[in-house]
Amino acid sequence: MPTPAIVRTVVPATVGVILAFFASHNISVSTQWQDWLTAGLTMGLTGLYYVLASLLQSRWPLAGLLLGSTARPTYTGRHRKTSAIDPTTATSDLSPDNRL
């Protein structure tokens, strides 16, 4: 099963592409600008969709389904300190007594 972060990235991107397709369909522009227009619309509409869906989810948690999952991604650091700093092994000369 994919993680919530992956699902919540793929679903808005897919919706953005679909919205951009419909927005750019039947618009008469030169072929040189058609690709740029589609790419720009895809990026803009995807970002807008994600922001709006996230705002709705913060008020109504079930609205997270608009992003593909109501589960919010969680991240844990891999490099967390396991012990407190030992002041006797500090290498800095900026102890509280030496600061200006």
Side-chain angles (χ1 to χ4, degrees):
M1 179 116 200
T3 64
I6 293 172
V7 172
R8 292 170 65 98
T9 300
V10 172
V11 170
T14 303
V15 171
V17 168
I18 292 168
L19 292 174
F21 171 78
F22 286 124
S24 66
H25 197 67
N26 292 329
I27 295 177
S28 298
V29 293
S30 69
T31 55
Q32 175 186 359
W33 289 101
Q34 227 168 15
D35 291 338
W36 288 106
L37 177 64
T38 302
L41 283 170
T42 301
M43 182 181 66
L45 291 172
T46 300
L48 181 65
Y49 179 84
Y50 185 81
V51 168
L52 289 175
S54 294
L55 289 173
L56 287 173
Q57 185 182 16
S58 63
R59 183 168 174 109
W60 299 289
L62 193 58
L65 290 174
L66 294 171
L67 295 173
S69 172
T70 57
R72 291 187 178 258
T74 57
Y75 304 97
T76 56
R78 287 191 254 168
H79 305 288
R80 296 195 186 261
K81 293 183 179 183
T82 57
S83 63
I85 298 174
D86 183 6
T88 60
T89 61
T91 57
S92 174
D93 200 12
L94 294 176
S95 65
D97 297 329
N98 294 338
R99 292 186 193 164
L100 294 177

